[in-house]
Amino acid sequence: MGKSESLRDREERVNSRQRFCAACRSEKIDRPPVWLMRQAGRYLPEYAQLRASHSFWEMVRTPSLAAEVTLQPIRRFGMDAAILFSDILIALAALGIKIKYEDGGPSISPRTRSVADLHALREVDPYQAFDYVGEAVERVRQELHPQTAVIGFAGAPFTLAAYLVAGGPSKDVYELKVLASREPRLYTDLAGRIAEVVAGLLRLQARAGVDALQIFDTWSLHLSPEDYAELALPYTARVIASLADLKVPIILYVRNAAGHLGAAAGSGCQVLSVDGSIRLTEARARLASNIALQGNFDPALLAAPAERIRARVREAIAALDGTGYIVNLGQGVMPETPLEGVAAFVNAVREEAT
Ligand code: CP3
Protein backbone atom coordinates (compact mmCIF):
# COMPACT_ATOMS: atom_id res chain seq x y z
CA MET A 1 0.00 0.00 0.00
CA GLY A 2 1.44 3.38 -1.01
CA LYS A 3 1.20 6.52 1.06
CA SER A 4 -1.58 7.97 -1.08
CA GLU A 5 -3.74 4.89 -0.49
CA SER A 6 -3.57 5.17 3.29
CA LEU A 7 -4.26 8.91 3.08
CA ARG A 8 -7.33 8.25 1.01
CA ASP A 9 -8.52 5.68 3.57
CA ARG A 10 -8.04 8.23 6.28
CA GLU A 11 -9.83 10.94 4.32
CA GLU A 12 -12.89 8.70 4.11
CA ARG A 13 -12.83 7.70 7.76
CA VAL A 14 -12.42 11.17 9.20
CA ASN A 15 -15.50 13.38 9.01
CA SER A 16 -15.79 17.08 9.86
CA ARG A 17 -17.11 16.51 13.36
CA GLN A 18 -14.36 14.06 14.29
CA ARG A 19 -11.78 16.36 12.72
CA PHE A 20 -13.03 19.36 14.70
CA CYS A 21 -13.19 17.42 17.98
CA ALA A 22 -9.71 15.95 17.42
CA ALA A 23 -8.29 19.42 16.76
CA CYS A 24 -9.82 20.71 20.01
CA ARG A 25 -8.02 17.91 21.84
CA SER A 26 -4.75 18.64 19.98
CA GLU A 27 -4.80 15.17 18.39
CA LYS A 28 -3.27 14.45 15.00
CA ILE A 29 -5.72 14.52 12.06
CA ASP A 30 -5.67 14.57 8.25
CA ARG A 31 -6.04 18.36 8.04
CA PRO A 32 -7.10 21.22 10.35
CA PRO A 33 -10.83 21.98 10.53
CA VAL A 34 -12.16 25.35 9.37
CA TRP A 35 -15.01 27.65 10.38
CA LEU A 36 -15.34 31.45 10.61
CA MET A 37 -16.41 33.64 13.48
CA ARG A 38 -19.68 35.40 12.55
CA GLN A 39 -20.12 33.01 9.63
CA ALA A 40 -23.90 33.14 10.16
CA GLY A 41 -24.87 36.68 9.33
CA ARG A 42 -25.10 39.78 7.30
CA TYR A 43 -22.72 39.01 4.41
CA LEU A 44 -25.03 36.18 3.31
CA PRO A 45 -27.89 37.12 0.91
CA GLU A 46 -30.05 34.33 2.38
CA TYR A 47 -29.59 35.89 5.84
CA ALA A 48 -30.48 39.36 4.54
CA GLN A 49 -33.58 37.90 2.93
CA LEU A 50 -34.85 36.41 6.22
CA ARG A 51 -33.79 39.51 8.13
CA ALA A 52 -35.99 41.67 5.86
CA SER A 53 -39.10 40.15 7.44
CA HIS A 54 -37.87 39.46 11.01
CA SER A 55 -36.09 41.56 13.62
CA PHE A 56 -32.69 40.32 14.79
CA TRP A 57 -34.08 39.62 18.26
CA GLU A 58 -37.00 37.64 16.83
CA MET A 59 -34.56 35.52 14.80
CA VAL A 60 -32.43 34.82 17.87
CA ARG A 61 -35.46 33.87 19.99
CA THR A 62 -37.30 31.71 17.47
CA PRO A 63 -35.63 28.27 17.39
CA SER A 64 -36.70 27.44 13.82
CA LEU A 65 -35.27 30.74 12.51
CA ALA A 66 -32.09 30.52 14.62
CA ALA A 67 -31.52 26.96 13.39
CA GLU A 68 -32.10 28.00 9.77
CA VAL A 69 -29.56 30.86 9.99
CA THR A 70 -27.05 28.54 11.72
CA LEU A 71 -27.25 26.13 8.77
CA GLN A 72 -27.08 28.72 5.97
CA PRO A 73 -23.27 29.05 5.81
CA ILE A 74 -22.78 25.27 6.08
CA ARG A 75 -25.08 24.64 3.11
CA ARG A 76 -23.27 27.20 1.00
CA PHE A 77 -19.62 26.60 1.99
CA GLY A 78 -19.36 23.32 3.96
CA MET A 79 -17.37 24.51 6.97
CA ASP A 80 -16.40 21.74 9.43
CA ALA A 81 -18.38 23.36 12.26
CA ALA A 82 -21.61 25.35 12.58
CA ILE A 83 -21.83 28.03 15.28
CA LEU A 84 -25.26 28.54 16.80
CA PHE A 85 -26.91 31.74 15.60
CA SER A 86 -27.45 33.80 18.77
CA ASP A 87 -25.78 36.73 20.49
CA ILE A 88 -23.59 37.28 23.54
CA LEU A 89 -26.03 39.90 24.87
CA ILE A 90 -28.81 37.35 25.58
CA ALA A 91 -27.12 36.77 28.96
CA LEU A 92 -27.80 40.41 29.88
CA ALA A 93 -31.39 40.21 28.65
CA ALA A 94 -31.91 37.29 31.07
CA LEU A 95 -30.82 39.58 33.92
CA GLY A 96 -33.73 41.88 33.02
CA ILE A 97 -31.78 44.36 30.88
CA LYS A 98 -33.38 45.84 27.75
CA ILE A 99 -31.32 45.48 24.59
CA LYS A 100 -31.99 47.30 21.36
CA TYR A 101 -30.04 46.50 18.22
CA GLU A 102 -29.57 49.76 16.35
CA ASP A 103 -27.43 50.81 13.41
CA GLY A 104 -24.66 52.15 15.64
CA GLY A 105 -24.51 48.87 17.61
CA PRO A 106 -26.58 47.53 20.50
CA SER A 107 -27.89 49.86 23.21
CA ILE A 108 -28.47 48.58 26.73
CA SER A 109 -30.64 49.95 29.52
CA PRO A 110 -30.59 50.47 32.38
CA ARG A 111 -26.84 50.59 32.87
CA THR A 112 -25.46 49.00 36.03
CA ARG A 113 -23.48 51.59 37.98
CA SER A 114 -24.36 51.09 41.68
CA VAL A 115 -25.02 48.45 44.33
CA ALA A 116 -28.74 49.22 43.97
CA ASP A 117 -28.52 48.58 40.21
CA LEU A 118 -26.78 45.27 40.90
CA HIS A 119 -29.51 44.21 43.33
CA ALA A 120 -32.16 45.12 40.77
CA LEU A 121 -30.85 42.47 38.33
CA ARG A 122 -33.22 39.54 37.95
CA GLU A 123 -32.56 36.04 39.33
CA VAL A 124 -31.87 33.72 36.41
CA ASP A 125 -33.01 30.14 36.01
CA PRO A 126 -31.06 29.20 32.87
CA TYR A 127 -33.50 26.50 31.80
CA GLN A 128 -36.36 28.98 31.85
CA ALA A 129 -34.49 32.03 30.57
CA PHE A 130 -32.68 30.23 27.74
CA ASP A 131 -35.21 27.55 26.79
CA TYR A 132 -35.18 28.89 23.21
CA VAL A 133 -31.40 28.37 23.04
CA GLY A 134 -31.66 24.71 24.04
CA GLU A 135 -34.42 24.19 21.50
CA ALA A 136 -32.38 25.88 18.75
CA VAL A 137 -29.37 23.64 19.48
CA GLU A 138 -31.59 20.53 19.37
CA ARG A 139 -33.06 21.62 16.05
CA VAL A 140 -29.63 22.31 14.59
CA ARG A 141 -28.46 18.90 15.76
CA GLN A 142 -31.48 17.26 14.06
CA GLU A 143 -31.28 19.17 10.81
CA LEU A 144 -27.52 19.31 10.37
CA HIS A 145 -25.62 16.37 8.98
CA PRO A 146 -24.40 14.34 12.00
CA GLN A 147 -20.91 14.58 10.57
CA THR A 148 -20.68 18.35 11.12
CA ALA A 149 -19.71 19.82 14.50
CA VAL A 150 -21.86 22.35 16.39
CA ILE A 151 -20.39 25.13 18.55
CA GLY A 152 -22.29 26.89 21.34
CA PHE A 153 -21.07 30.17 22.85
CA ALA A 154 -21.42 32.97 25.37
CA GLY A 155 -19.74 36.27 26.15
CA ALA A 156 -17.00 36.37 28.78
CA PRO A 157 -18.07 37.99 32.09
CA PHE A 158 -15.68 40.92 31.60
CA THR A 159 -16.93 41.72 28.07
CA LEU A 160 -20.57 41.51 29.18
CA ALA A 161 -19.85 43.67 32.24
CA ALA A 162 -18.26 46.25 29.92
CA TYR A 163 -21.50 46.44 27.88
CA LEU A 164 -23.61 46.62 31.03
CA VAL A 165 -21.63 49.42 32.66
CA ALA A 166 -21.24 51.50 29.47
CA GLY A 167 -24.79 50.92 28.17
CA GLY A 168 -23.47 49.78 24.79
CA PRO A 169 -20.24 49.19 22.92
CA SER A 170 -17.51 51.15 24.67
CA LYS A 171 -14.60 52.48 22.65
CA ASP A 172 -12.06 51.91 25.39
CA VAL A 173 -13.93 50.30 28.34
CA TYR A 174 -13.26 53.48 30.31
CA GLU A 175 -16.52 53.33 32.29
CA LEU A 176 -15.84 49.83 33.54
CA LYS A 177 -12.21 50.55 34.44
CA VAL A 178 -13.30 53.57 36.50
CA LEU A 179 -15.99 51.57 38.30
CA ALA A 180 -13.62 48.67 38.99
CA SER A 181 -10.92 50.90 40.44
CA ARG A 182 -13.25 53.06 42.57
CA GLU A 183 -15.61 50.31 43.71
CA PRO A 184 -13.73 47.03 43.40
CA ARG A 185 -16.29 45.13 45.47
CA LEU A 186 -19.12 46.20 43.18
CA TYR A 187 -17.16 45.04 40.13
CA THR A 188 -16.32 41.68 41.75
CA ASP A 189 -19.98 41.08 42.62
CA LEU A 190 -21.21 42.17 39.20
CA ALA A 191 -18.70 40.05 37.26
CA GLY A 192 -19.52 37.14 39.61
CA ARG A 193 -23.26 37.47 38.90
CA ILE A 194 -22.63 37.52 35.16
CA ALA A 195 -20.26 34.54 35.44
CA GLU A 196 -23.08 32.49 37.02
CA VAL A 197 -25.48 33.30 34.18
CA VAL A 198 -22.83 32.58 31.54
CA ALA A 199 -21.96 29.24 33.17
CA GLY A 200 -25.66 28.28 33.20
CA LEU A 201 -26.11 29.23 29.54
CA LEU A 202 -23.02 27.26 28.46
CA ARG A 203 -24.05 24.20 30.48
CA LEU A 204 -27.49 24.25 28.88
CA GLN A 205 -25.95 24.32 25.39
CA ALA A 206 -23.64 21.42 26.28
CA ARG A 207 -26.60 19.37 27.53
CA ALA A 208 -28.48 20.16 24.32
CA GLY A 209 -25.67 18.58 22.30
CA VAL A 210 -22.97 21.04 21.17
CA ASP A 211 -19.47 19.67 20.50
CA ALA A 212 -17.57 22.67 21.89
CA LEU A 213 -18.24 25.98 23.65
CA GLN A 214 -16.61 29.28 22.73
CA ILE A 215 -16.29 32.16 25.20
CA PHE A 216 -15.93 35.57 23.51
CA ASP A 217 -13.77 38.07 25.41
CA THR A 218 -13.90 40.74 22.72
CA TRP A 219 -13.19 43.74 24.95
CA SER A 220 -9.93 42.28 26.29
CA LEU A 221 -8.61 44.33 23.36
CA HIS A 222 -8.55 47.36 25.67
CA LEU A 223 -6.89 45.77 28.72
CA SER A 224 -3.28 45.87 29.78
CA PRO A 225 -1.89 42.48 30.84
CA GLU A 226 -2.23 43.58 34.49
CA ASP A 227 -5.87 44.57 34.07
CA TYR A 228 -6.62 41.40 32.10
CA ALA A 229 -5.26 39.34 35.01
CA GLU A 230 -7.40 41.27 37.50
CA LEU A 231 -10.63 42.08 35.66
CA ALA A 232 -11.12 39.35 33.05
CA LEU A 233 -9.21 36.14 33.67
CA PRO A 234 -10.52 35.19 37.16
CA TYR A 235 -14.17 35.24 36.03
CA THR A 236 -13.55 33.38 32.77
CA ALA A 237 -11.48 30.80 34.69
CA ARG A 238 -14.34 30.41 37.19
CA VAL A 239 -16.83 29.74 34.39
CA ILE A 240 -14.52 27.18 32.76
CA ALA A 241 -13.79 25.41 36.07
CA SER A 242 -17.52 25.10 36.78
CA LEU A 243 -18.01 23.23 33.49
CA ALA A 244 -15.17 20.72 33.94
CA ASP A 245 -17.54 17.79 34.59
CA LEU A 246 -19.09 18.20 31.11
CA LYS A 247 -15.89 17.24 29.28
CA VAL A 248 -16.85 19.62 26.44
CA PRO A 249 -13.85 21.48 24.96
CA ILE A 250 -13.78 25.20 25.73
CA ILE A 251 -12.47 27.68 23.16
CA LEU A 252 -11.47 31.04 24.63
CA TYR A 253 -11.37 33.99 22.23
CA VAL A 254 -9.20 36.89 23.32
CA ARG A 255 -8.31 40.09 21.55
CA ASN A 256 -4.92 41.68 22.15
CA ALA A 257 -3.82 38.05 22.33
CA ALA A 258 -0.15 39.05 22.10
CA GLY A 259 -0.45 40.65 25.53
CA HIS A 260 -2.76 38.09 27.10
CA LEU A 261 -1.51 34.79 25.66
CA GLY A 262 0.10 33.29 28.75
CA ALA A 263 -2.66 34.38 31.13
CA ALA A 264 -5.48 33.26 28.80
CA ALA A 265 -3.82 29.88 28.30
CA GLY A 266 -3.99 29.44 32.07
CA SER A 267 -7.80 29.88 32.10
CA GLY A 268 -8.42 26.15 31.77
CA CYS A 269 -9.47 26.36 28.11
CA GLN A 270 -8.55 23.61 25.63
CA VAL A 271 -8.36 25.96 22.62
CA LEU A 272 -7.14 29.54 22.49
CA SER A 273 -8.64 31.65 19.71
CA VAL A 274 -6.34 34.58 18.93
CA ASP A 275 -6.72 37.85 17.04
CA GLY A 276 -4.25 39.34 14.58
CA SER A 277 -2.01 40.86 17.27
CA ILE A 278 0.32 37.84 17.24
CA ARG A 279 1.84 35.53 14.64
CA LEU A 280 0.37 32.03 14.79
CA THR A 281 3.84 30.49 14.86
CA GLU A 282 4.82 32.68 17.81
CA ALA A 283 1.61 31.83 19.66
CA ARG A 284 2.24 28.12 18.97
CA ALA A 285 5.80 28.36 20.29
CA ARG A 286 4.63 30.05 23.49
CA LEU A 287 1.73 27.66 24.19
CA ALA A 288 1.92 24.22 25.80
CA SER A 289 1.32 21.43 23.27
CA ASN A 290 -1.98 20.40 24.90
CA ILE A 291 -3.57 23.77 24.06
CA ALA A 292 -4.89 24.03 20.53
CA LEU A 293 -4.79 27.28 18.58
CA GLN A 294 -7.57 28.93 16.55
CA GLY A 295 -7.30 31.94 14.28
CA ASN A 296 -6.27 34.42 13.12
CA PHE A 297 -6.62 35.60 9.53
CA ASP A 298 -7.58 39.20 8.90
CA PRO A 299 -11.24 39.43 7.79
CA ALA A 300 -10.03 41.70 4.96
CA LEU A 301 -8.10 38.76 3.46
CA LEU A 302 -11.48 37.40 2.34
CA ALA A 303 -11.71 40.30 -0.12
CA ALA A 304 -8.34 39.42 -1.70
CA PRO A 305 -7.95 37.45 -4.96
CA ALA A 306 -8.59 33.71 -4.43
CA GLU A 307 -4.96 32.83 -5.21
CA ARG A 308 -3.69 35.05 -2.39
CA ILE A 309 -6.23 33.61 0.05
CA ARG A 310 -5.19 30.09 -0.87
CA ALA A 311 -1.48 30.87 -0.50
CA ARG A 312 -1.93 32.46 2.94
CA VAL A 313 -4.00 29.57 4.25
CA ARG A 314 -1.54 26.97 2.95
CA GLU A 315 1.39 28.85 4.45
CA ALA A 316 -0.22 28.92 7.91
CA ILE A 317 -1.15 25.25 7.87
CA ALA A 318 2.35 24.25 6.76
CA ALA A 319 4.02 26.47 9.37
CA LEU A 320 1.94 24.98 12.17
CA ASP A 321 2.32 21.42 10.96
CA GLY A 322 -1.48 21.04 11.02
CA THR A 323 -1.90 19.57 14.51
CA GLY A 324 -3.88 21.31 17.28
CA TYR A 325 -4.96 24.03 14.87
CA ILE A 326 -8.39 25.29 13.83
CA VAL A 327 -8.38 27.62 10.81
CA ASN A 328 -10.45 30.75 11.50
CA LEU A 329 -10.31 34.55 11.40
CA GLY A 330 -8.89 36.81 14.12
CA GLN A 331 -12.21 38.73 14.19
CA GLY A 332 -15.69 38.17 12.79
CA VAL A 333 -16.58 38.21 9.09
CA MET A 334 -17.38 41.74 7.85
CA PRO A 335 -20.83 42.43 6.36
CA GLU A 336 -19.28 43.53 3.04
CA THR A 337 -17.29 40.30 2.56
CA PRO A 338 -17.52 38.79 -0.96
CA LEU A 339 -18.95 35.26 -1.00
CA GLU A 340 -16.16 34.08 -3.36
CA GLY A 341 -13.58 35.00 -0.72
CA VAL A 342 -15.27 32.85 1.93
CA ALA A 343 -15.52 29.99 -0.56
CA ALA A 344 -11.82 30.31 -1.46
CA PHE A 345 -10.87 30.35 2.23
CA VAL A 346 -12.88 27.25 3.16
CA ASN A 347 -11.89 25.35 0.00
CA ALA A 348 -8.20 26.12 0.52
CA VAL A 349 -8.38 24.27 3.83
CA ARG A 350 -10.48 21.43 2.47
CA GLU A 351 -7.93 20.78 -0.27
CA GLU A 352 -5.23 20.28 2.36
CA ALA A 353 -4.16 16.94 3.75
CA THR A 354 -1.09 16.82 5.92
O1 CP3 B 1 -20.61 33.69 14.77
C1 CP3 B 1 -21.79 33.54 14.37
O2 CP3 B 1 -22.09 33.52 13.16
C2 CP3 B 1 -22.88 33.29 15.39
C3 CP3 B 1 -23.66 34.41 15.77
C4 CP3 B 1 -23.07 35.55 16.57
C5 CP3 B 1 -23.65 36.85 16.53
N1 CP3 B 1 -23.03 37.63 17.46
C6 CP3 B 1 -24.75 37.26 15.62
C7 CP3 B 1 -25.03 38.69 15.41
C8 CP3 B 1 -22.04 35.60 17.51
C9 CP3 B 1 -21.05 34.51 17.90
C10 CP3 B 1 -22.03 36.90 18.07
C11 CP3 B 1 -21.11 37.31 19.14
C12 CP3 B 1 -21.05 38.72 19.54
N2 CP3 B 1 -22.09 39.61 19.63
C13 CP3 B 1 -19.88 39.37 20.00
C14 CP3 B 1 -18.52 38.72 20.17
C15 CP3 B 1 -17.83 38.48 18.89
C16 CP3 B 1 -17.25 39.69 18.23
O3 CP3 B 1 -17.62 39.94 17.06
O4 CP3 B 1 -16.41 40.36 18.84
C17 CP3 B 1 -20.23 40.69 20.32
C18 CP3 B 1 -19.32 41.76 20.83
C19 CP3 B 1 -21.64 40.83 20.09
C20 CP3 B 1 -22.50 42.02 20.34
C21 CP3 B 1 -23.19 42.50 19.12
N3 CP3 B 1 -24.27 41.87 18.53
C22 CP3 B 1 -22.90 43.65 18.35
C23 CP3 B 1 -21.77 44.63 18.65
C24 CP3 B 1 -23.83 43.71 17.29
C25 CP3 B 1 -24.04 44.79 16.24
C26 CP3 B 1 -22.94 44.94 15.29
C27 CP3 B 1 -22.40 43.66 14.68
O5 CP3 B 1 -21.22 43.38 14.87
O6 CP3 B 1 -23.15 42.95 14.01
C28 CP3 B 1 -24.64 42.56 17.38
C29 CP3 B 1 -25.71 42.16 16.45
C30 CP3 B 1 -25.48 40.87 15.75
N4 CP3 B 1 -25.07 39.70 16.34
C31 CP3 B 1 -25.74 40.63 14.36
C32 CP3 B 1 -25.47 39.25 14.15
C33 CP3 B 1 -25.64 38.48 12.87
C34 CP3 B 1 -26.25 41.64 13.34
C35 CP3 B 1 -27.72 41.81 13.50
C36 CP3 B 1 -28.40 42.30 12.26
O7 CP3 B 1 -28.78 41.48 11.41
O8 CP3 B 1 -28.63 43.52 12.17
Side-chain angles (χ1 to χ4, degrees), residues 12-23:
E12 281 166 9
R13 278 207 322 272
V14 181
N15 66 48
S16 285
R17 196 173 181 186
Q18 293 165 332
R19 183 179 292 121
F20 175 80
C21 293

Side-chain angles (χ1 to χ4, degrees), residues 95-233:
L95 285 162
I97 301 297
K98 280 201 189 62
I99 298 168
K100 280 206 205 115
Y101 290 91
E102 292 159 347
D103 284 347
S107 88
I108 285 158
S109 63
R111 294 181 296 200
T112 303
R113 293 271 173 100
S114 67
V115 175
D117 295 339
L118 175 65
H119 288 153
L121 296 177
R122 214 187 271 157
E123 281 303 316
V124 178
D125 169 356
Y127 286 87
Q128 227 172 341
F130 304 120
D131 59 343
Y132 63 94
V133 177
E135 219 179 292
V137 171
E138 282 161 16
R139 266 178 183 267
V140 168
R141 216 32 307 172
Q142 280 162 18
E143 291 172 28
L144 186 66
H145 198 287
Q147 295 183 353
T148 303
V150 179
I151 303 167
F153 73 93
F158 162 72
T159 287
L160 291 175
Y163 272 105
L164 197 46
V165 174
S170 167
K171 255 198 356 262
D172 39 26
V173 197
Y174 180 78
E175 300 86 347
L176 181 138
K177 289 176 187 169
V178 170
L179 180 139
S181 62
R182 291 196 182 167
E183 295 183 75
R185 182 64 203 268
L186 174 58
Y187 177 70
T188 307
D189 291 349
L190 177 62
R193 268 304 296 283
I194 297 172
E196 271 173 45
V197 177
V198 165
L201 170 58
L202 291 172
R203 179 170 291 274
L204 173 144
Q205 294 177 75
R207 292 230 172 110
V210 300
D211 296 288
L213 293 164
Q214 177 151 331
I215 299 176
F216 285 91
D217 214 349
T218 305
W219 292 121
S220 63
L221 177 63
H222 301 299
L223 292 178
S224 65
E226 291 83 357
D227 283 345
Y228 180 79
E230 189 178 320
L231 301 178
L233 179 64

